[in-house]
Amino acid sequence: MSTSIAWPAGTAQHTGPSRSLSYRFGYFVLRHYLAGVALTLLLACVNCFWRLSTNVVSDLDEARYGVAASEMLRSHSALVATYAGRPEYWNLKPPLGYWMQELAFRLLGPTVFAMRVPSALCALALISLTLAITRRWFGRREALLAGLILTSCFGFMSYHGARSGDLDSALSLLLLIATVQTPRLAASSSARMLWAAMMSLGFLLKSFAILPFVFTTGLYLLWSGDWRRMRVRDWIPGLVLFCAVVLGWIVARVSHDGSMYFVSRMFREDLLWRSTRVLDNETARPLGYLAVLLDRFAPWSLLLAAVPLYMRGGWQPRNPQTRLLLLWALVPLLTFSLARTQHHWYLDPTYPAWSMLTAIAALRLMGLSAQPVRLLVVGLVMIGLLLCEVRVLWRIGWTDRPPASQTFLMSLRSRLPADELIYVCFPLAHSERFILEVVDGYRIREVTAPPEPQTDASAPQHVTLLVRWRNLHRRAGALIQWRPLVGNGDYVLLAPRVSSGRDLIGAKLPMTLGAIRVESLDHGLHMR
């Protein structure tokens, strides 16, 4: 990379005050680029790892993935994921994401941090690669700005993104590595092999979510004309690699199950139904993903929309990398908008492209001769970065604080033996099961009614009963033989009554539990 200032194409290099803003910014970046990279990655570490182990556990995909990965680890099953001891057919995905979480559980223990650390590490690697790729393609100024935009992107850092136990951050990394090979596919066999390897791993992670990015590659080859320099036989090694990975997993799963049941459901539900039906209680809207960008990529979507208004025809992509970025951002946007099932995290793999495009657009606007436009763009960029980072930190430090119910369930580790058997008198949510089974390590048995405590020698030595506080009075008659141990405003934990008629905190037990009242959420139950 030359040490001269990389002025945007089509922009005149003026002297004097008219160029001072862009010139000084470029000069500062060239002199302090490594320090800027270090600060960007430091900020990325804060956004990815701060309070990673203490934020609320999501009750949807995250907790269910964590339970399934933990059960696969305990059962030494490499192919079949289970949830609550039954084969998992709610999440019809291949097992690569579970393997990542299993490895984290094995190395770090079954904790919330271990469940989320694969996504956080993948996000940090993604930001680092975005910096390196943007510098190689466009320059240092664009690299630093794109890295800061991606690091503080609310959509990338929030739910289902870099800080969750979901798979979208890892998928984004794999698709980034694959997509940046696209300009080299016509000339390099190693690029084709790497593209095929990343796409095959992406399929093992989230199956058909890779299809829009396969379309992106095909459209780029058509737009650039690179397809004319390629022959079918050039793709044979890559296709063999892709088929070996994907078909290898399919054959192994079918052989294990003895049928095509799982694979056929995956094709039918994850591909056909999500494309043609509204699933997961979502609302299909033609412009739904534009609203997602306006919200979760704010305010940069507004800056991108302003580019054609000011560039006066000079904004058209003239190099292969810019063309690829446009396809990378727009093809998945259009594809997912046509599908009937829509989730905001489907756009996560496109945020690197949107960040690079925003950095290019901002710096080109800074290079315009109109001084008010330059000042407006600089102010928008600085305020935008600040507000985006504040929004991310507010989400981490305030919005995602764990509720009292999850804090109480995690506190049971210090109150009960490790081999406790807990009867649960209500259907467990995914987050409740994850905390009780994986984090606390208890054996859980869901029952429809409180069981009769066993007092013979063959009965388990450590048995408790967990009921919701709001259902306690309704079940009071069935709980006479159980004594309260501890509780809060959400749950009450009970144990079989002892002959002395006194509970663990020394309060005299009444004949019925209908008069129990929580007087302190911090010191257990006081009986009246």
Side-chain angles (χ1 to χ4, degrees), residues 65-83:
Y65 288 154
V67 172
S70 176
E71 292 187 6
M72 288 180 73
L73 180 63
R74 291 199 304 266
S75 62
H76 305 287
S77 173
L79 292 173
V80 179
T82 61
Y83 180 82

Side-chain angles (χ1 to χ4, degrees), residues 15 41 46 53 77 93 104 132 173 179 187 195 247 249 255 313 333 349 351 371 373 388 397 402 455 458-459 477 522:
T15 60
L41 294 180
V46 172
S53 61
S77 173
K93 296 292 187 293
L173 176 62
T179 305
W195 183 92
L247 294 181
W249 169 75
S255 176
L333 179 67
Y351 285 130
Q371 183 75 7
V373 175
C388 286
T455 58
S458 63
D522 299 322

Side-chain angles (χ1 to χ4, degrees), residues 290-432:
L290 292 179
V292 168
L293 288 176
L294 287 173
D295 174 26
R296 308 180 77 81
F297 195 63
W300 312 120
S301 49
L302 298 177
L303 187 147
L304 285 173
V307 171
L309 300 178
Y310 288 99
M311 299 309 295
R312 298 177 183 178
W315 62 275
Q316 290 90 346
R318 291 190 173 91
N319 59 66
Q321 291 80 14
T322 307
R323 292 181 178 183
L324 176 60
L325 289 181
L326 287 173
L327 292 173
W328 183 358
L330 296 177
V331 172
L333 179 67
L334 176 61
T335 305
F336 292 135
S337 296
L338 294 176
R340 297 290 291 165
T341 299
Q342 299 178 353
H343 294 290
H344 66 77
W345 55 85
Y346 289 176
L347 291 185
D348 280 15
T350 68
Y351 285 130
W354 289 113
S355 299
M356 294 184 209
L357 287 171
T358 303
I360 297 168
L363 289 167
R364 293 197 68 173
L365 290 174
M366 286 183 194
L368 292 175
S369 57
Q371 183 75 7
V373 175
R374 292 204 304 268
L375 292 176
L376 178 63
V377 173
V378 172
L380 176 62
V381 169
M382 295 179 63
I383 295 174
L385 288 173
L386 178 62
L387 293 180
C388 286
E389 181 61 20
V390 169
R391 187 182 183 189
V392 170
L393 294 179
W394 180 266
R395 177 69 180 258
I396 298 171
W398 181 261
T399 307
D400 283 350
R401 291 187 305 175
S405 58
Q406 293 190 4
T407 301
F408 171 77
L409 292 179
M410 290 186 181
S411 72
L412 296 181
R413 286 174 295 177
S414 61
R415 305 173 186 268
L416 299 176
D419 59 344
E420 192 78 13
L421 172 63
I422 299 181
Y423 290 99
V424 180
C425 287
F426 52 89
L428 279 173
H430 302 325
S431 59
E432 293 170 331

Side-chain angles (χ1 to χ4, degrees), residues 206-335:
K206 293 204 71 173
S207 66
F208 303 104
I210 66 171
L211 288 181
F213 301 89
V214 176
F215 298 154
T216 298
T217 299
L219 289 175
Y220 174 84
L221 295 177
L222 290 174
W223 191 3
S224 64
D226 286 352
W227 65 275
R228 297 188 182 93
R229 299 187 288 122
M230 302 175 65
R231 294 167 294 183
V232 174
R233 66 185 184 188
D234 294 337
W235 279 95
I236 291 178
L239 290 175
V240 170
L241 174 61
F242 182 86
C243 293
V245 174
V246 174
L247 294 181
W249 169 75
I250 292 176
V251 170
R253 180 66 197 244
V254 171
S255 176
H256 183 279
D257 293 346
S259 70
M260 288 283 293
Y261 180 73
F262 180 89
V263 176
S264 62
R265 281 194 60 173
M266 185 181 74
F267 275 83
R268 182 174 65 252
E269 298 179 23
D270 256 11
L271 180 60
L272 298 179
W273 288 6
R274 287 188 179 273
S275 301
T276 60
R277 303 182 184 184
V278 179
L279 305 178
D280 303 332
N281 297 320
E282 288 292 316
T283 301
R285 295 170 296 174
L287 302 179
Y289 284 111
L290 292 179
V292 168
L293 288 176
L294 287 173
D295 174 26
R296 308 180 77 81
F297 195 63
W300 312 120
S301 49
L302 298 177
L303 187 147
L304 285 173
V307 171
L309 300 178
Y310 288 99
M311 299 309 295
R312 298 177 183 178
W315 62 275
Q316 290 90 346
R318 291 190 173 91
N319 59 66
Q321 291 80 14
T322 307
R323 292 181 178 183
L324 176 60
L325 289 181
L326 287 173
L327 292 173
W328 183 358
L330 296 177
V331 172
L333 179 67
L334 176 61
T335 305

Side-chain angles (χ1 to χ4, degrees), residues 145-199:
L145 186 53
L148 288 171
I149 291 172
L150 184 59
T151 297
S152 58
C153 175
F154 182 79
F156 182 66
M157 284 291 169
S158 58
Y159 173 66
H160 246 277
R163 295 181 51 83
S164 72
D166 299 295
L167 312 177
D168 299 272
S169 179
L171 179 68
S172 300
L173 176 62
L174 294 175
L175 292 176
L176 169 69
I177 298 173
T179 305
V180 297
Q181 307 305 316
T182 305
R184 302 173 53 237
L185 291 178
S188 173
S189 59
S190 61
R192 292 190 291 270
M193 292 295 289
L194 183 56
W195 183 92
M198 294 300 102
M199 285 297 180

